């Protein structure tokens, strides 16, 4: 008899998905009892679904109540709760760096796919100044996020060999429910979240919700540096033999881009930000005619666009099933930032008179020992669009299941950049530009400029097939194959003079595979093993950054081979997964900044991921995730034998929680301890980034069934941890701090 979910289990899962009860104490206890029946859709053909205990791979589930306790400062910040993932979310709400299981990377998120309802929101994991988390904001419309590392990832959906985080939206049910939440903070945050759900007609359900917010930012900028709003609609129609789901998520949200700052200048710490009223408006010069234009660099990084799509699920009869998922993403993902260049110095070292310089805005005279630094005024305008469709047809027999799928994607990006544009600024919060320094008046700035206009189109067509054989009542063996064709058309004008300097048409195909086995030791535990090989195909910036390697014959495809061996245990109170992994990534390229030569690497890593949760009827619960890994650069012109940059040897995250009654009031206290090992800031392993510990705490009170208050403190001890050095110049004493201590208070009201 199959151990995969039965029709009855599937019906139960659908029923749960169509109801969204308020999380009171009884619901917490019931959730613990339902642990063994958790359904995951990541890693399955078309997102068809499988019981978590039966999966031959490890998936981390983070539900709405977990998200509330974690109180992430950004979408990427939430991924810290997924083992095997190292997140540098110190750049603000956008602009995170996300690394997976020792996979190489110098920034952004080259091996991360964010999916909504199992559809990738943008097929290219990373473009310059754009990683997937920039396009997605967390709010109260999210029911759950699943984090799948490796596993069947290279075969299904967009074939991501690294990490796929799949967000699942809340859905409506027969009863009408609504909630409103107001949040304030010690950094001037004002935020309102609302969500409502119910039935529009028989078997027709809705969920609507969103937020509007404004704040000065955790690092005080002197103006409202973070502003945004989002609105989501999710409609589900249930048929006798299937369902149709449609959604749209409209977002306009941006915030200051926090950059590395000097580490050896008095007064600069985790609370510091360079942006402020004296410098947020800046003028740059670009193009052959020295065109000048002013921009508001307080706009930071953000997303103004929509993610829209849906799915169709049909029971075709005779154990045939069809699932089609589709998604359209379209909008602007622009970046405006003040970017440090090199080390800090003093006015006396660069002033024309060798003694002082004058503030360009205030007229203040700054003496010779005033700390200053070259600050680049970077502008990146990026219009993007992507459409994906994933169609899978499956058939079940007595001892065998099979699926056949077609995945297609079109990806567009139109870019206009002017980066560099360096000039000396005073190193103080909102420090102004200086007069009396010769290079500050140079149209090309004090150092380097790089200006481009680029147009790119990419298309992907993949055919995949999977099969599972139920060899015995306890043993299942699965395999999958994927044949993918990837085409890119891309052209670049690198000087904004109308002359194309780089142009290409690219057409390559690869075959990915996965094979795994799952053995049930008993009803609550099992073991699994898996091997896979997948590929990360190049997109637009890969060609421009690595033009010499590409024209020299390198196809710029990264080949990823992975092995996993895991143990899992799930009962009424415990979920525990332990996964040993080994990876090899061939053909990785690293470019320190545009125009610099590419370093071509092979990286290997092995380690163990631990992902556990314990819940007790007394109200106590404990979540733990940890990663221990060894990384090595096994092929490189200069750095063979070194560790991969910016990858900690170990990291730990422990979240205890205790729920109890105070008279008629229900309360929960919780906290999170995060600890991370030392890392190297560069492939040369000459820059050490010290490890650190961070403590977060919170409490929720529910005076009535409808009223809920939550108070949380992030970075309770105000730890001055460093996530990264200066990726453009690792030898410069610059670094990016984690966020300083901050506090939030929210009041929620539930309508039934």
């Amino acid at each position: 008899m199959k151990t995969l979910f039965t029709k009855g289990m599937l019906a139960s899962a659908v029923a749960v998905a169509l109801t969204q009860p308020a999380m009171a104490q009884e619901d917490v206890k019931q959730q613990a009892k339902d642990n063994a029946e958790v359904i995951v859709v990541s890693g399955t053909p078309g997102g068809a679904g499988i019981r978590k205990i039966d999966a031959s791979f490890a998936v981390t589930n983070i539900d709405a109540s977990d998200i509330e306790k974690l109180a992430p400062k950004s979408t990427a910040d939430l991924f810290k709760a997924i083992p095997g993932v190292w997140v540098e979310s110190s750049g603000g709400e956008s602009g995170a760096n996300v690394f997976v299981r020792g996979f190489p990377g110098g920034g952004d998120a080259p091996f991360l796919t964010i999916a909504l309802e199992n559809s990738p929101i943008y097929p290219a994991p990373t473009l310059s100044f754009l990683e997937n988390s920039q396009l997605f904001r967390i709010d109260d419309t999210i029911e759950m996020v699943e984090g799948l590392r490796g596993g069947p990832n290279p075969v299904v959906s967009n074939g991501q060999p690294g990490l796929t985080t799949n967000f699942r939206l809340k859905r409506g049910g027969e009863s009408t429910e609504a909630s409103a939440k107001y949040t304030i903070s010690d950094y001037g945050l004002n935020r309102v979240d609302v969500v409502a759900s119910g039935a529009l007609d028989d078997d027709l359900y809705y969920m609507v919700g969103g937020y509007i917010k404004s704040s000065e930012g955790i690092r005080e900028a002197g103006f409202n540096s973070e502003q945004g709003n989002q609105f989501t609609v999710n409609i589900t129609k249930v048929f006798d033999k299937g369902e149709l789901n449609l959604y749209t998520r409209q977002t306009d949200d941006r915030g200051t881009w926090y950059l590395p700052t000097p580490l050896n200048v008095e007064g600069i710490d985790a609370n510091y930000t360079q942006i402020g009223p004296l410098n947020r408006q800046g003028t740059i010069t670009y193009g052959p005619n020295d065109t000048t234009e002013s921009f508001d660099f307080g706009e930071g990084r953000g997303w103004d666009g929509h993610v829209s799509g849906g799915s169709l699920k049909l029971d075709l009869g005779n154990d045939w099933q069809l699932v089609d998922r589709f998604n359209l993403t379209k909008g602007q993902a622009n970046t405006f930032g003040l970017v440090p260049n090199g080390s800090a110095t003093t006015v006396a070292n660069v002033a024309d008179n060798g003694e002082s310089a004058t503030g360009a805005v205030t007229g203040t005279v700054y003496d010779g020992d005033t700390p200053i630094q070259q600050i680049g005024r970077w502008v990146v305008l990026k219009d993007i669009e992507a459409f994906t469709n994933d169609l899978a047809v499956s058939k079940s027999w007595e001892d065998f299941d099979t699926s056949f799928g077609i995945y297609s994607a079109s990806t567009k990006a139109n870019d206009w950049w002017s980066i560099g544009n360096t000039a000396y600024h005073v190193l103080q919060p909102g420090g102004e530009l200086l007069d009396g320094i010769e290079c500050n008046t140079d149209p090309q700035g004090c150092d380097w400029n790089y200006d481009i206009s680029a147009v790119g189109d990419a298309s992907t067509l993949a055919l995949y097939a999977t099969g599972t054989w139920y060899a015995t009542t306890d043993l299942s063996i699965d395999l999958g194959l994927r044949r993918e064709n990837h085409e890119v058309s891309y052209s670049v004008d690198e000087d904004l003079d109308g002359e194309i300097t780089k142009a290409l048409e690219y057409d390559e195909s690869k075959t990915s595979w996965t094979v795994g086995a799952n053995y049930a030791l008993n009803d609550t535990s099992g073991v699994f093993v898996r091997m896979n090989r997948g590929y990360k195909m190049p997109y637009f910036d890969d060609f421009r950054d690595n033009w010499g390697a590409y024209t020299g014959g390198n196809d710029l495809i990264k080949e990823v081979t992975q092995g996993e061996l895991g143990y899992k245990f799930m009962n009424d109170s415990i979920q525990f997964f332990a996964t040993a992994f080994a990876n090899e990534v061939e053909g990785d390229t690293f470019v320190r900044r545009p125009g610099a030569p590419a370093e071509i690497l092979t990286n290997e890593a092995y380690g163990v991921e631990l992902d556990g949760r314990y819940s007790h009827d007394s109200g106590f619960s404990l979540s733990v995730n940890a990663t221990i890994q060894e990384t090595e650069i096994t092929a490189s012109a200069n750095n063979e034998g070194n560790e991969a940059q910016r990858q900690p040897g170990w990291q730990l995250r422990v979240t205890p929680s205790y729920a109890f009654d105070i008279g008629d009031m229900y309360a929960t206290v919780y906290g999170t301890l995060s600890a991370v090992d030392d890392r190297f800031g560069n492939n040369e392993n000459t820059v050490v980034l010290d490890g650190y510990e961070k403590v977060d705490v919170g409490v929720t009170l529910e005076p009535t069934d409808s009223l809920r208050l939550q108070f949380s403190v992030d970075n309770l001890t105000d730890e001055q941890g460093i996530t990264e050095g200066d990726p453009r110049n690792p030898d410069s004493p610059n670094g990016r701090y984690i966020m300083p201590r901050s506090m939030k208070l929210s009041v929620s009201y539930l309508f039934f």
Side-chain angles (χ1 to χ4, degrees), residues 369-385:
D369 61 0
T370 302
I372 62 175
Q373 188 177 30
Q374 284 188 22
I375 302 293
R377 291 152 291 177
W378 288 24
V379 178
V380 176
L381 308 181
K382 190 179 291 284
D383 290 336
I384 65 169
E385 181 177 347

Side-chain angles (χ1 to χ4, degrees), residues 404-479:
F404 301 93
I406 302 175
Y407 169 84
S408 61
S410 62
T411 308
K412 299 177 182 292
N414 294 346
D415 283 19
W416 187 96
W417 303 7
S418 181
I419 63 176
N421 304 308
T422 57
Y424 283 101
H425 289 65
V426 179
L427 275 176
Q428 63 185 32
E432 61 185 316
L433 182 74
L434 292 170
D435 290 332
I437 300 175
E438 182 179 5
C439 70
N440 277 15
T441 61
D442 190 325
Q444 299 305 311
C446 292
D447 195 351
W448 61 279
N449 277 19
Y450 186 65
D451 302 334
I452 68 167
S453 175
V455 179
D457 291 89
S459 62
T460 300
L461 179 64
L463 304 177
Y464 64 86
T466 67
T468 303
W469 174 44
Y470 305 96
T472 70
T473 56
D474 299 319
L475 175 64
S476 63
I477 300 172
D478 68 271
L479 56 86

Side-chain angles (χ1 to χ4, degrees), residues 65-244:
S65 61
D66 296 325
I67 294 173
E68 190 171 51
K69 291 178 183 177
L70 294 168
K73 296 295 182 290
S74 64
T75 301
D77 203 43
L78 178 63
F79 301 155
K80 295 177 181 178
I82 302 173
V85 179
W86 167 243
V87 180
E88 298 172 347
S89 55
S90 49
E93 191 148 10
S94 298
N97 303 308
V98 184
F99 306 120
V100 185
R101 279 186 171 176
F103 285 25
D108 293 316
F111 292 96
L112 166 68
T113 291
I114 290 182
L116 180 61
E117 293 292 328
N118 229 57
S119 288
I121 62 172
Y122 195 66
T126 283
L127 301 177
S128 296
F129 307 102
L130 176 64
E131 37 78 34
N132 270 199
S133 75
Q134 184 169 338
L135 308 177
F136 197 86
R137 300 292 185 273
I138 296 172
D139 61 15
D140 289 347
T141 64
I142 298 298
E143 176 190 32
M144 180 179 290
V145 60
E146 299 171 347
L148 171 61
R149 294 83 62 201
N153 258 343
V155 169
V156 297
S157 189
N158 68 327
Q160 169 62 262
L163 169 68
T164 295
T165 56
N166 179 39
F167 287 85
R168 293 159 60 174
L169 294 171
K170 293 177 179 177
R171 295 188 177 188
E174 293 296 338
S175 59
T176 299
E177 300 172 358
S179 68
K181 180 170 68 176
Y182 176 57
T183 304
I184 58 175
S185 75
D186 62 340
Y187 53 89
L189 173 66
N190 280 282
R191 174 169 172 149
V192 176
D193 287 78
V194 295
V195 63
S197 62
L200 295 170
D201 202 347
D202 291 342
D203 299 324
L204 180 61
Y205 307 96
Y206 73 92
M207 185 281 297
V208 297
Y211 68 82
I212 184 169
K213 70 166 190 179
S214 177
S215 84
E216 190 172 343
I218 296 176
R219 296 176 173 133
E220 296 181 7
F223 62 96
N224 282 338
S225 65
E226 295 184 352
Q227 298 188 73
N229 60 83
Q230 182 167 265
F231 182 68
T232 301
V233 180
N234 193 29
I235 304 294
T236 305
K237 173 64 177 177
V238 179
F239 304 99
D240 290 340
K241 294 186 177 182
E243 71 169 37
L244 174 66

Side-chain angles (χ1 to χ4, degrees), residues 663-676:
D664 295 333
M665 187 183 303
Y666 183 58
T668 304
V669 293
Y670 58 90
T672 298
L673 168 65
S674 304
V676 60

Side-chain angles (χ1 to χ4, degrees), residues 179-338:
S179 68
K181 180 170 68 176
Y182 176 57
T183 304
I184 58 175
S185 75
D186 62 340
Y187 53 89
L189 173 66
N190 280 282
R191 174 169 172 149
V192 176
D193 287 78
V194 295
V195 63
S197 62
L200 295 170
D201 202 347
D202 291 342
D203 299 324
L204 180 61
Y205 307 96
Y206 73 92
M207 185 281 297
V208 297
Y211 68 82
I212 184 169
K213 70 166 190 179
S214 177
S215 84
E216 190 172 343
I218 296 176
R219 296 176 173 133
E220 296 181 7
F223 62 96
N224 282 338
S225 65
E226 295 184 352
Q227 298 188 73
N229 60 83
Q230 182 167 265
F231 182 68
T232 301
V233 180
N234 193 29
I235 304 294
T236 305
K237 173 64 177 177
V238 179
F239 304 99
D240 290 340
K241 294 186 177 182
E243 71 169 37
L244 174 66
N245 174 245
L246 298 172
Y247 60 82
T248 186
R249 196 169 183 85
Q250 309 281 332
T251 308
D252 184 0
D253 194 306
R254 53 87 175 167
T256 294
W257 184 26
Y258 296 128
L259 280 306
T261 55
L263 301 178
N264 57 358
V265 175
E266 184 178 354
I268 295 182
D269 56 18
N271 290 284
Y272 179 87
T273 179
Q274 183 68 37
I275 195 78
L278 296 181
N279 60 33
R280 62 179 290 190
Q281 291 181 283
T283 300
I284 63 172
T285 302
Y286 59 84
N289 299 320
D290 288 341
T291 302
T292 60
E293 187 171 356
S294 295
F295 294 92
D296 180 3
F297 294 90
E299 291 287 326
R301 294 183 74 160
W303 168 237
D304 184 2
H306 71 89
V307 179
S308 307
S311 64
L312 175 65
K313 302 178 183 179
L314 294 176
D315 182 351
L316 304 177
N318 196 28
D319 292 321
W320 285 93
Q321 306 287 332
L322 180 147
V323 180
D324 186 53
R325 296 181 183 271
F326 49 91
N327 185 87
L328 173 66
T329 297
K330 183 178 175 64
Q332 296 178 322
N334 298 333
T335 294
F336 304 88
L338 300 181

Side-chain angles (χ1 to χ4, degrees), residues 351-640:
D352 294 345
N353 62 13
E355 296 179 357
S356 63
T358 304
V361 178
T362 66
T364 301
V365 176
Y366 295 94
D367 59 27
D369 61 0
T370 302
I372 62 175
Q373 188 177 30
Q374 284 188 22
I375 302 293
R377 291 152 291 177
W378 288 24
V379 178
V380 176
L381 308 181
K382 190 179 291 284
D383 290 336
I384 65 169
E385 181 177 347
F387 178 73
T388 66
N389 192 86
D390 187 2
L391 173 65
V393 178
S394 61
K395 166 70 173 176
S396 295
W397 286 273
E398 181 66 23
D399 296 316
F400 190 74
D401 287 344
T402 187
S403 297
F404 301 93
I406 302 175
Y407 169 84
S408 61
S410 62
T411 308
K412 299 177 182 292
N414 294 346
D415 283 19
W416 187 96
W417 303 7
S418 181
I419 63 176
N421 304 308
T422 57
Y424 283 101
H425 289 65
V426 179
L427 275 176
Q428 63 185 32
E432 61 185 316
L433 182 74
L434 292 170
D435 290 332
I437 300 175
E438 182 179 5
C439 70
N440 277 15
T441 61
D442 190 325
Q444 299 305 311
C446 292
D447 195 351
W448 61 279
N449 277 19
Y450 186 65
D451 302 334
I452 68 167
S453 175
V455 179
D457 291 89
S459 62
T460 300
L461 179 64
L463 304 177
Y464 64 86
T466 67
T468 303
W469 174 44
Y470 305 96
T472 70
T473 56
D474 299 319
L475 175 64
S476 63
I477 300 172
D478 68 271
L479 56 86
L481 289 173
R482 175 191 186 91
R483 182 64 175 176
E484 175 176 319
N485 176 253
H486 184 68
E487 299 181 4
V488 179
S489 174
Y490 183 56
S491 61
V492 188
D493 167 6
E494 288 188 290
D495 298 311
L496 300 179
D497 58 3
E499 296 184 10
I500 303 302
T501 56
K502 295 179 174 68
L504 63 97
E505 291 187 2
Y506 180 88
D507 188 339
E508 293 286 346
S509 298
K510 287 292 183 180
T511 300
S512 303
W513 55 265
T514 184
V515 58
N518 182 73
Y519 184 75
L521 299 173
N522 50 47
D523 290 341
T524 59
S525 65
V527 293
F528 64 88
V529 63
R530 178 167 299 278
M531 287 288 298
N532 67 49
R533 176 168 293 166
Y535 300 88
K536 181 182 182 297
M537 293 297 204
Y539 281 87
F540 319 120
D541 305 83
D542 295 309
F543 295 100
R544 188 194 63 252
D545 287 344
N546 303 287
W547 187 250
Y550 171 65
T551 55
N554 191 318
D555 61 12
L556 303 184
I557 298 174
K558 299 175 177 63
E559 180 180 285
V560 182
T561 305
Q562 302 180 78
E564 301 170 1
L565 176 63
Y567 170 79
K568 52 194 173 180
F569 180 89
M570 296 179 69
N571 65 10
D572 290 348
S573 58
I574 297 174
Q575 295 187 49
F576 177 72
F577 285 76
T579 306
F581 63 87
N583 309 325
E584 181 185 68
V585 181
E586 294 185 58
D588 181 62
T589 56
F590 174 64
V591 176
R592 205 168 299 284
R593 75 182 190 187
E599 182 181 1
I600 301 176
L601 312 163
T602 295
N603 278 54
E604 294 183 4
Y606 64 90
V608 177
E609 300 171 350
L610 302 177
D611 188 4
R613 175 177 300 185
Y614 171 73
S615 301
H616 193 270
D617 288 344
S618 66
F620 175 76
S621 67
L622 179 69
S623 296
V624 178
N625 80 67
T627 305
I628 303 170
Q629 66 179 9
E630 291 284 343
T631 66
E632 182 181 356
I633 300 172
T634 58
S636 169
N638 302 307
N639 297 312
E640 187 171 330

